[in-house]
Amino acid sequence: MKVILLSDVKKVGKKGEIVEVSDGYGRNFLLNKKLAVLATKKSMEILDEQNLQHDLMEKQKEAEAEEIKKQLSKITLEFHVKTGEGGRVFGSVSTKQIVAKLHDQYGIHVEKKKVIDNDAITSLGYTDVKVDLYKNKVIGTIRVHVNG
């Protein structure tokens, strides 16, 4: 029996895949629990339409990420930290602070876990911080200036 999976099923397949399963398993488990539908001509057309919509959404998200990348290339975030003798820095600038300032000043929302260089900045001067904007395909760079 051929079925189209509506959600991920362990050891069977991922959502949207067309898989061949035994009749009993398909009828009594997958169809009964609404984890799959029969792979008919109509359901195949619906699946194709859903895949097309998904591809369009992904292209749109990637285009939005490219636009954010362009905005980030023009931005320099300024941070002031306490310094001691010889330019030693007391404290550091964390990724949380960078993301918060980016959101507050420019309205650009980036998740903290998407920051690739997630080490705190502990030195004075300019530092480039890389951010994953879209599935490791679009990488933006934020310029951070730390001064005393």
Side-chain angles (χ1 to χ4, degrees):
M1 160 185 286
K2 277 192 172 189
V3 294
I4 300 172
L5 297 176
L6 298 176
S7 62
D8 292 354
V9 180
K10 267 189 181 173
K11 298 182 182 178
V12 177
K14 300 234 179 250
K15 178 181 177 179
E17 286 184 0
I18 301 168
V19 293
E20 183 76 35
V21 295
S22 66
D23 290 348
Y25 182 67
R27 207 174 21 261
N28 296 327
F29 182 72
L30 295 176
L31 296 177
N32 196 21
K33 299 230 187 247
K34 307 238 185 302
L35 297 173
V37 293
L38 282 173
T40 62
K41 192 173 190 177
K42 182 70 175 171
S43 61
M44 298 286 262
E45 290 173 6
I46 293 171
L47 178 66
D48 289 341
E49 180 64 30
Q50 287 175 345
N51 287 341
L52 182 65
Q53 291 295 327
H54 182 265
D55 291 344
L56 289 174
M57 289 288 288
E58 291 297 315
K59 285 181 183 177
Q60 182 180 357
K61 287 179 184 177
E62 189 172 0
E64 289 171 2
E66 286 288 345
E67 196 62 38
I68 292 172
K69 179 181 175 181
K70 288 178 187 174
Q71 290 176 352
L72 290 179
S73 67
K74 300 173 187 170
I75 293 174
T76 300
L77 296 177
E78 297 281 338
F79 288 95
H80 300 286
V81 294
K82 292 183 181 178
T83 56
E85 286 183 23
R88 291 194 52 204
V89 176
F90 296 117
S92 62
V93 178
S94 68
T95 55
K96 184 177 181 181
Q97 291 171 308
I98 294 170
V99 170
K101 193 163 200 168
L102 187 65
H103 182 69
D104 292 343
Q105 286 186 349
Y106 299 98
I108 299 172
H109 178 71
V110 176
E111 291 182 38
K112 186 178 93 169
K113 64 183 178 182
K114 296 289 186 176
V115 177
I116 296 171
D117 306 328
N118 55 0
D119 296 334
I121 300 170
T122 58
S123 61
L124 295 175
Y126 289 95
T127 306
D128 290 336
V129 178
K130 296 195 181 305
V131 180
D132 177 17
L133 298 172
Y134 180 76
K135 297 183 179 179
N136 289 328
K137 290 182 181 178
V138 181
I139 307 291
T141 304
I142 304 169
R143 192 158 180 84
V144 178
H145 181 229
V146 180
N147 55 23

mmCIF file with all atom_site columns, all heavy atoms in Angstrom, residues 49-69:
data_model
loop_
_atom_site.group_PDB
_atom_site.id
_atom_site.type_symbol
_atom_site.label_atom_id
_atom_site.label_alt_id
_atom_site.label_comp_id
_atom_site.label_asym_id
_atom_site.label_entity_id
_atom_site.label_seq_id
_atom_site.pdbx_PDB_ins_code
_atom_site.Cartn_x
_atom_site.Cartn_y
_atom_site.Cartn_z
_atom_site.occupancy
_atom_site.B_iso_or_equiv
_atom_site.pdbx_formal_charge
_atom_site.auth_seq_id
_atom_site.auth_comp_id
_atom_site.auth_asym_id
_atom_site.auth_atom_id
_atom_site.pdbx_PDB_model_num
ATOM 1   N N   . GLU A 1 49 ? 1.171  20.503 -4.932 1.00 0.00 ? 49 GLU A N   1
ATOM 2   C CA  . GLU A 1 49 ? 0.815  21.903 -4.673 1.00 0.00 ? 49 GLU A CA  1
ATOM 3   C C   . GLU A 1 49 ? 1.454  22.384 -3.367 1.00 0.00 ? 49 GLU A C   1
ATOM 4   O O   . GLU A 1 49 ? 1.998  23.490 -3.299 1.00 0.00 ? 49 GLU A O   1
ATOM 5   C CB  . GLU A 1 49 ? -0.706 22.065 -4.610 1.00 0.00 ? 49 GLU A CB  1
ATOM 6   C CG  . GLU A 1 49 ? -1.172 23.475 -4.337 1.00 0.00 ? 49 GLU A CG  1
ATOM 7   C CD  . GLU A 1 49 ? -0.816 24.457 -5.435 1.00 0.00 ? 49 GLU A CD  1
ATOM 8   O OE1 . GLU A 1 49 ? -0.736 24.058 -6.609 1.00 0.00 ? 49 GLU A OE1 1
ATOM 9   O OE2 . GLU A 1 49 ? -0.617 25.644 -5.104 1.00 0.00 ? 49 GLU A OE2 1
ATOM 10  N N   . GLN A 1 50 ? 1.410  21.546 -2.337 1.00 0.00 ? 50 GLN A N   1
ATOM 11  C CA  . GLN A 1 50 ? 2.020  21.907 -1.053 1.00 0.00 ? 50 GLN A CA  1
ATOM 12  C C   . GLN A 1 50 ? 3.529  22.069 -1.201 1.00 0.00 ? 50 GLN A C   1
ATOM 13  O O   . GLN A 1 50 ? 4.112  22.984 -0.626 1.00 0.00 ? 50 GLN A O   1
ATOM 14  C CB  . GLN A 1 50 ? 1.707  20.853 0.007  1.00 0.00 ? 50 GLN A CB  1
ATOM 15  C CG  . GLN A 1 50 ? 0.276  20.881 0.494  1.00 0.00 ? 50 GLN A CG  1
ATOM 16  C CD  . GLN A 1 50 ? -0.027 19.740 1.445  1.00 0.00 ? 50 GLN A CD  1
ATOM 17  O OE1 . GLN A 1 50 ? 0.716  18.766 1.549  1.00 0.00 ? 50 GLN A OE1 1
ATOM 18  N NE2 . GLN A 1 50 ? -1.156 19.845 2.146  1.00 0.00 ? 50 GLN A NE2 1
ATOM 19  N N   . ASN A 1 51 ? 4.169  21.187 -1.952 1.00 0.00 ? 51 ASN A N   1
ATOM 20  C CA  . ASN A 1 51 ? 5.612  21.295 -2.167 1.00 0.00 ? 51 ASN A CA  1
ATOM 21  C C   . ASN A 1 51 ? 5.965  22.576 -2.922 1.00 0.00 ? 51 ASN A C   1
ATOM 22  O O   . ASN A 1 51 ? 6.965  23.228 -2.622 1.00 0.00 ? 51 ASN A O   1
ATOM 23  C CB  . ASN A 1 51 ? 6.145  20.080 -2.925 1.00 0.00 ? 51 ASN A CB  1
ATOM 24  C CG  . ASN A 1 51 ? 6.184  18.840 -2.062 1.00 0.00 ? 51 ASN A CG  1
ATOM 25  O OD1 . ASN A 1 51 ? 6.161  18.922 -0.835 1.00 0.00 ? 51 ASN A OD1 1
ATOM 26  N ND2 . ASN A 1 51 ? 6.208  17.685 -2.697 1.00 0.00 ? 51 ASN A ND2 1
ATOM 27  N N   . LEU A 1 52 ? 5.128  22.943 -3.894 1.00 0.00 ? 52 LEU A N   1
ATOM 28  C CA  . LEU A 1 52 ? 5.343  24.173 -4.644 1.00 0.00 ? 52 LEU A CA  1
ATOM 29  C C   . LEU A 1 52 ? 5.229  25.381 -3.723 1.00 0.00 ? 52 LEU A C   1
ATOM 30  O O   . LEU A 1 52 ? 6.072  26.285 -3.754 1.00 0.00 ? 52 LEU A O   1
ATOM 31  C CB  . LEU A 1 52 ? 4.336  24.267 -5.792 1.00 0.00 ? 52 LEU A CB  1
ATOM 32  C CG  . LEU A 1 52 ? 4.451  25.471 -6.704 1.00 0.00 ? 52 LEU A CG  1
ATOM 33  C CD1 . LEU A 1 52 ? 5.774  25.426 -7.459 1.00 0.00 ? 52 LEU A CD1 1
ATOM 34  C CD2 . LEU A 1 52 ? 3.288  25.508 -7.677 1.00 0.00 ? 52 LEU A CD2 1
ATOM 35  N N   . GLN A 1 53 ? 4.197  25.392 -2.872 1.00 0.00 ? 53 GLN A N   1
ATOM 36  C CA  . GLN A 1 53 ? 4.015  26.487 -1.917 1.00 0.00 ? 53 GLN A CA  1
ATOM 37  C C   . GLN A 1 53 ? 5.197  26.569 -0.954 1.00 0.00 ? 53 GLN A C   1
ATOM 38  O O   . GLN A 1 53 ? 5.675  27.651 -0.629 1.00 0.00 ? 53 GLN A O   1
ATOM 39  C CB  . GLN A 1 53 ? 2.712  26.305 -1.123 1.00 0.00 ? 53 GLN A CB  1
ATOM 40  C CG  . GLN A 1 53 ? 1.456  26.479 -1.936 1.00 0.00 ? 53 GLN A CG  1
ATOM 41  C CD  . GLN A 1 53 ? 1.288  27.894 -2.453 1.00 0.00 ? 53 GLN A CD  1
ATOM 42  O OE1 . GLN A 1 53 ? 1.681  28.848 -1.802 1.00 0.00 ? 53 GLN A OE1 1
ATOM 43  N NE2 . GLN A 1 53 ? 0.722  28.020 -3.647 1.00 0.00 ? 53 GLN A NE2 1
ATOM 44  N N   . HIS A 1 54 ? 5.661  25.415 -0.499 1.00 0.00 ? 54 HIS A N   1
ATOM 45  C CA  . HIS A 1 54 ? 6.800  25.362 0.422  1.00 0.00 ? 54 HIS A CA  1
ATOM 46  C C   . HIS A 1 54 ? 8.049  25.935 -0.227 1.00 0.00 ? 54 HIS A C   1
ATOM 47  O O   . HIS A 1 54 ? 8.792  26.710 0.397  1.00 0.00 ? 54 HIS A O   1
ATOM 48  C CB  . HIS A 1 54 ? 7.032  23.915 0.874  1.00 0.00 ? 54 HIS A CB  1
ATOM 49  C CG  . HIS A 1 54 ? 8.143  23.772 1.855  1.00 0.00 ? 54 HIS A CG  1
ATOM 50  N ND1 . HIS A 1 54 ? 9.420  23.444 1.465  1.00 0.00 ? 54 HIS A ND1 1
ATOM 51  C CD2 . HIS A 1 54 ? 8.169  23.933 3.206  1.00 0.00 ? 54 HIS A CD2 1
ATOM 52  C CE1 . HIS A 1 54 ? 10.186 23.403 2.541  1.00 0.00 ? 54 HIS A CE1 1
ATOM 53  N NE2 . HIS A 1 54 ? 9.463  23.700 3.606  1.00 0.00 ? 54 HIS A NE2 1
ATOM 54  N N   . ASP A 1 55 ? 8.294  25.581 -1.484 1.00 0.00 ? 55 ASP A N   1
ATOM 55  C CA  . ASP A 1 55 ? 9.460  26.100 -2.207 1.00 0.00 ? 55 ASP A CA  1
ATOM 56  C C   . ASP A 1 55 ? 9.379  27.614 -2.365 1.00 0.00 ? 55 ASP A C   1
ATOM 57  O O   . ASP A 1 55 ? 10.388 28.318 -2.211 1.00 0.00 ? 55 ASP A O   1
ATOM 58  C CB  . ASP A 1 55 ? 9.590  25.437 -3.579 1.00 0.00 ? 55 ASP A CB  1
ATOM 59  C CG  . ASP A 1 55 ? 9.983  23.973 -3.488 1.00 0.00 ? 55 ASP A CG  1
ATOM 60  O OD1 . ASP A 1 55 ? 10.444 23.549 -2.406 1.00 0.00 ? 55 ASP A OD1 1
ATOM 61  O OD2 . ASP A 1 55 ? 9.816  23.261 -4.498 1.00 0.00 ? 55 ASP A OD2 1
ATOM 62  N N   . LEU A 1 56 ? 8.181  28.124 -2.668 1.00 0.00 ? 56 LEU A N   1
ATOM 63  C CA  . LEU A 1 56 ? 8.012  29.571 -2.802 1.00 0.00 ? 56 LEU A CA  1
ATOM 64  C C   . LEU A 1 56 ? 8.275  30.283 -1.481 1.00 0.00 ? 56 LEU A C   1
ATOM 65  O O   . LEU A 1 56 ? 8.921  31.339 -1.449 1.00 0.00 ? 56 LEU A O   1
ATOM 66  C CB  . LEU A 1 56 ? 6.596  29.901 -3.297 1.00 0.00 ? 56 LEU A CB  1
ATOM 67  C CG  . LEU A 1 56 ? 6.301  29.547 -4.748 1.00 0.00 ? 56 LEU A CG  1
ATOM 68  C CD1 . LEU A 1 56 ? 4.825  29.777 -5.062 1.00 0.00 ? 56 LEU A CD1 1
ATOM 69  C CD2 . LEU A 1 56 ? 7.175  30.368 -5.683 1.00 0.00 ? 56 LEU A CD2 1
ATOM 70  N N   . MET A 1 57 ? 7.807  29.710 -0.385 1.00 0.00 ? 57 MET A N   1
ATOM 71  C CA  . MET A 1 57 ? 8.031  30.292 0.946  1.00 0.00 ? 57 MET A CA  1
ATOM 72  C C   . MET A 1 57 ? 9.526  30.306 1.272  1.00 0.00 ? 57 MET A C   1
ATOM 73  O O   . MET A 1 57 ? 10.035 31.286 1.827  1.00 0.00 ? 57 MET A O   1
ATOM 74  C CB  . MET A 1 57 ? 7.265  29.508 2.018  1.00 0.00 ? 57 MET A CB  1
ATOM 75  C CG  . MET A 1 57 ? 5.768  29.672 1.978  1.00 0.00 ? 57 MET A CG  1
ATOM 76  S SD  . MET A 1 57 ? 5.248  31.272 2.532  1.00 0.00 ? 57 MET A SD  1
ATOM 77  C CE  . MET A 1 57 ? 5.561  31.097 4.275  1.00 0.00 ? 57 MET A CE  1
ATOM 78  N N   . GLU A 1 58 ? 10.228 29.225 0.941  1.00 0.00 ? 58 GLU A N   1
ATOM 79  C CA  . GLU A 1 58 ? 11.657 29.146 1.218  1.00 0.00 ? 58 GLU A CA  1
ATOM 80  C C   . GLU A 1 58 ? 12.427 30.201 0.409  1.00 0.00 ? 58 GLU A C   1
ATOM 81  O O   . GLU A 1 58 ? 13.340 30.837 0.937  1.00 0.00 ? 58 GLU A O   1
ATOM 82  C CB  . GLU A 1 58 ? 12.191 27.744 0.907  1.00 0.00 ? 58 GLU A CB  1
ATOM 83  C CG  . GLU A 1 58 ? 11.697 26.684 1.858  1.00 0.00 ? 58 GLU A CG  1
ATOM 84  C CD  . GLU A 1 58 ? 12.138 26.908 3.294  1.00 0.00 ? 58 GLU A CD  1
ATOM 85  O OE1 . GLU A 1 58 ? 13.322 27.218 3.525  1.00 0.00 ? 58 GLU A OE1 1
ATOM 86  O OE2 . GLU A 1 58 ? 11.289 26.791 4.186  1.00 0.00 ? 58 GLU A OE2 1
ATOM 87  N N   . LYS A 1 59 ? 12.045 30.402 -0.852 1.00 0.00 ? 59 LYS A N   1
ATOM 88  C CA  . LYS A 1 59 ? 12.704 31.416 -1.668 1.00 0.00 ? 59 LYS A CA  1
ATOM 89  C C   . LYS A 1 59 ? 12.456 32.813 -1.103 1.00 0.00 ? 59 LYS A C   1
ATOM 90  O O   . LYS A 1 59 ? 13.344 33.661 -1.100 1.00 0.00 ? 59 LYS A O   1
ATOM 91  C CB  . LYS A 1 59 ? 12.216 31.337 -3.116 1.00 0.00 ? 59 LYS A CB  1
ATOM 92  C CG  . LYS A 1 59 ? 12.794 30.169 -3.877 1.00 0.00 ? 59 LYS A CG  1
ATOM 93  C CD  . LYS A 1 59 ? 12.325 30.138 -5.307 1.00 0.00 ? 59 LYS A CD  1
ATOM 94  C CE  . LYS A 1 59 ? 12.881 28.915 -6.009 1.00 0.00 ? 59 LYS A CE  1
ATOM 95  N NZ  . LYS A 1 59 ? 12.391 28.792 -7.376 1.00 0.00 ? 59 LYS A NZ  1
ATOM 96  N N   . GLN A 1 60 ? 11.230 33.038 -0.617 1.00 0.00 ? 60 GLN A N   1
ATOM 97  C CA  . GLN A 1 60 ? 10.899 34.333 -0.031 1.00 0.00 ? 60 GLN A CA  1
ATOM 98  C C   . GLN A 1 60 ? 11.706 34.572 1.248  1.00 0.00 ? 60 GLN A C   1
ATOM 99  O O   . GLN A 1 60 ? 12.244 35.666 1.453  1.00 0.00 ? 60 GLN A O   1
ATOM 100 C CB  . GLN A 1 60 ? 9.409  34.403 0.278  1.00 0.00 ? 60 GLN A CB  1
ATOM 101 C CG  . GLN A 1 60 ? 8.968  35.729 0.838  1.00 0.00 ? 60 GLN A CG  1
ATOM 102 C CD  . GLN A 1 60 ? 7.481  35.776 1.128  1.00 0.00 ? 60 GLN A CD  1
ATOM 103 O OE1 . GLN A 1 60 ? 6.755  34.835 0.855  1.00 0.00 ? 60 GLN A OE1 1
ATOM 104 N NE2 . GLN A 1 60 ? 7.026  36.875 1.696  1.00 0.00 ? 60 GLN A NE2 1
ATOM 105 N N   . LYS A 1 61 ? 11.830 33.550 2.088  1.00 0.00 ? 61 LYS A N   1
ATOM 106 C CA  . LYS A 1 61 ? 12.614 33.678 3.317  1.00 0.00 ? 61 LYS A CA  1
ATOM 107 C C   . LYS A 1 61 ? 14.079 33.956 3.005  1.00 0.00 ? 61 LYS A C   1
ATOM 108 O O   . LYS A 1 61 ? 14.731 34.751 3.683  1.00 0.00 ? 61 LYS A O   1
ATOM 109 C CB  . LYS A 1 61 ? 12.489 32.415 4.173  1.00 0.00 ? 61 LYS A CB  1
ATOM 110 C CG  . LYS A 1 61 ? 11.156 32.277 4.852  1.00 0.00 ? 61 LYS A CG  1
ATOM 111 C CD  . LYS A 1 61 ? 11.104 30.998 5.666  1.00 0.00 ? 61 LYS A CD  1
ATOM 112 C CE  . LYS A 1 61 ? 9.741  30.779 6.274  1.00 0.00 ? 61 LYS A CE  1
ATOM 113 N NZ  . LYS A 1 61 ? 9.680  29.495 6.994  1.00 0.00 ? 61 LYS A NZ  1
ATOM 114 N N   . GLU A 1 62 ? 14.596 33.292 1.967  1.00 0.00 ? 62 GLU A N   1
ATOM 115 C CA  . GLU A 1 62 ? 15.985 33.509 1.582  1.00 0.00 ? 62 GLU A CA  1
ATOM 116 C C   . GLU A 1 62 ? 16.192 34.928 1.066  1.00 0.00 ? 62 GLU A C   1
ATOM 117 O O   . GLU A 1 62 ? 17.197 35.578 1.373  1.00 0.00 ? 62 GLU A O   1
ATOM 118 C CB  . GLU A 1 62 ? 16.414 32.493 0.522  1.00 0.00 ? 62 GLU A CB  1
ATOM 119 C CG  . GLU A 1 62 ? 17.882 32.517 0.226  1.00 0.00 ? 62 GLU A CG  1
ATOM 120 C CD  . GLU A 1 62 ? 18.349 31.394 -0.683 1.00 0.00 ? 62 GLU A CD  1
ATOM 121 O OE1 . GLU A 1 62 ? 17.518 30.561 -1.103 1.00 0.00 ? 62 GLU A OE1 1
ATOM 122 O OE2 . GLU A 1 62 ? 19.550 31.346 -0.966 1.00 0.00 ? 62 GLU A OE2 1
ATOM 123 N N   . ALA A 1 63 ? 15.219 35.448 0.307  1.00 0.00 ? 63 ALA A N   1
ATOM 124 C CA  . ALA A 1 63 ? 15.311 36.821 -0.204 1.00 0.00 ? 63 ALA A CA  1
ATOM 125 C C   . ALA A 1 63 ? 15.276 37.822 0.953  1.00 0.00 ? 63 ALA A C   1
ATOM 126 O O   . ALA A 1 63 ? 16.017 38.821 0.952  1.00 0.00 ? 63 ALA A O   1
ATOM 127 C CB  . ALA A 1 63 ? 14.179 37.096 -1.178 1.00 0.00 ? 63 ALA A CB  1
ATOM 128 N N   . GLU A 1 64 ? 14.430 37.561 1.962  1.00 0.00 ? 64 GLU A N   1
ATOM 129 C CA  . GLU A 1 64 ? 14.365 38.437 3.134  1.00 0.00 ? 64 GLU A CA  1
ATOM 130 C C   . GLU A 1 64 ? 15.695 38.410 3.889  1.00 0.00 ? 64 GLU A C   1
ATOM 131 O O   . GLU A 1 64 ? 16.167 39.444 4.371  1.00 0.00 ? 64 GLU A O   1
ATOM 132 C CB  . GLU A 1 64 ? 13.229 38.012 4.066  1.00 0.00 ? 64 GLU A CB  1
ATOM 133 C CG  . GLU A 1 64 ? 11.854 38.293 3.511  1.00 0.00 ? 64 GLU A CG  1
ATOM 134 C CD  . GLU A 1 64 ? 10.740 37.666 4.336  1.00 0.00 ? 64 GLU A CD  1
ATOM 135 O OE1 . GLU A 1 64 ? 11.027 37.028 5.372  1.00 0.00 ? 64 GLU A OE1 1
ATOM 136 O OE2 . GLU A 1 64 ? 9.567  37.830 3.943  1.00 0.00 ? 64 GLU A OE2 1
ATOM 137 N N   . ALA A 1 65 ? 16.299 37.234 3.988  1.00 0.00 ? 65 ALA A N   1
ATOM 138 C CA  . ALA A 1 65 ? 17.587 37.107 4.668  1.00 0.00 ? 65 ALA A CA  1
ATOM 139 C C   . ALA A 1 65 ? 18.667 37.891 3.916  1.00 0.00 ? 65 ALA A C   1
ATOM 140 O O   . ALA A 1 65 ? 19.528 38.524 4.539  1.00 0.00 ? 65 ALA A O   1
ATOM 141 C CB  . ALA A 1 65 ? 17.974 35.641 4.798  1.00 0.00 ? 65 ALA A CB  1
ATOM 142 N N   . GLU A 1 66 ? 18.626 37.868 2.599  1.00 0.00 ? 66 GLU A N   1
ATOM 143 C CA  . GLU A 1 66 ? 19.587 38.630 1.798  1.00 0.00 ? 66 GLU A CA  1
ATOM 144 C C   . GLU A 1 66 ? 19.429 40.130 2.054  1.00 0.00 ? 66 GLU A C   1
ATOM 145 O O   . GLU A 1 66 ? 20.412 40.868 2.136  1.00 0.00 ? 66 GLU A O   1
ATOM 146 C CB  . GLU A 1 66 ? 19.413 38.338 0.296  1.00 0.00 ? 66 GLU A CB  1
ATOM 147 C CG  . GLU A 1 66 ? 19.925 37.001 -0.148 1.00 0.00 ? 66 GLU A CG  1
ATOM 148 C CD  . GLU A 1 66 ? 21.439 36.900 -0.162 1.00 0.00 ? 66 GLU A CD  1
ATOM 149 O OE1 . GLU A 1 66 ? 22.140 37.935 -0.103 1.00 0.00 ? 66 GLU A OE1 1
ATOM 150 O OE2 . GLU A 1 66 ? 21.934 35.761 -0.223 1.00 0.00 ? 66 GLU A OE2 1
ATOM 151 N N   . GLU A 1 67 ? 18.180 40.573 2.190  1.00 0.00 ? 67 GLU A N   1
ATOM 152 C CA  . GLU A 1 67 ? 17.910 41.985 2.462  1.00 0.00 ? 67 GLU A CA  1
ATOM 153 C C   . GLU A 1 67 ? 18.457 42.387 3.832  1.00 0.00 ? 67 GLU A C   1
ATOM 154 O O   . GLU A 1 67 ? 19.083 43.440 3.981  1.00 0.00 ? 67 GLU A O   1
ATOM 155 C CB  . GLU A 1 67 ? 16.386 42.229 2.409  1.00 0.00 ? 67 GLU A CB  1
ATOM 156 C CG  . GLU A 1 67 ? 16.007 43.674 2.285  1.00 0.00 ? 67 GLU A CG  1
ATOM 157 C CD  . GLU A 1 67 ? 16.505 44.320 1.005  1.00 0.00 ? 67 GLU A CD  1
ATOM 158 O OE1 . GLU A 1 67 ? 16.503 43.662 -0.056 1.00 0.00 ? 67 GLU A OE1 1
ATOM 159 O OE2 . GLU A 1 67 ? 16.909 45.494 1.073  1.00 0.00 ? 67 GLU A OE2 1
ATOM 160 N N   . ILE A 1 68 ? 18.269 41.529 4.825  1.00 0.00 ? 68 ILE A N   1
ATOM 161 C CA  . ILE A 1 68 ? 18.799 41.795 6.168  1.00 0.00 ? 68 ILE A CA  1
ATOM 162 C C   . ILE A 1 68 ? 20.323 41.813 6.135  1.00 0.00 ? 68 ILE A C   1
ATOM 163 O O   . ILE A 1 68 ? 20.959 42.629 6.804  1.00 0.00 ? 68 ILE A O   1
ATOM 164 C CB  . ILE A 1 68 ? 18.261 40.755 7.184  1.00 0.00 ? 68 ILE A CB  1
ATOM 165 C CG1 . ILE A 1 68 ? 16.759 40.951 7.388  1.00 0.00 ? 68 ILE A CG1 1
ATOM 166 C CG2 . ILE A 1 68 ? 18.990 40.856 8.513  1.00 0.00 ? 68 ILE A CG2 1
ATOM 167 C CD1 . ILE A 1 68 ? 16.101 39.874 8.214  1.00 0.00 ? 68 ILE A CD1 1
ATOM 168 N N   . LYS A 1 69 ? 20.911 40.927 5.324  1.00 0.00 ? 69 LYS A N   1
ATOM 169 C CA  . LYS A 1 69 ? 22.372 40.885 5.189  1.00 0.00 ? 69 LYS A CA  1
ATOM 170 C C   . LYS A 1 69 ? 22.902 42.226 4.680  1.00 0.00 ? 69 LYS A C   1
ATOM 171 O O   . LYS A 1 69 ? 23.916 42.730 5.169  1.00 0.00 ? 69 LYS A O   1
ATOM 172 C CB  . LYS A 1 69 ? 22.767 39.759 4.234  1.00 0.00 ? 69 LYS A CB  1
ATOM 173 C CG  . LYS A 1 69 ? 24.250 39.630 4.011  1.00 0.00 ? 69 LYS A CG  1
ATOM 174 C CD  . LYS A 1 69 ? 24.554 38.509 3.046  1.00 0.00 ? 69 LYS A CD  1
ATOM 175 C CE  . LYS A 1 69 ? 26.030 38.436 2.714  1.00 0.00 ? 69 LYS A CE  1
ATOM 176 N NZ  . LYS A 1 69 ? 26.325 37.368 1.764  1.00 0.00 ? 69 LYS A NZ  1
#
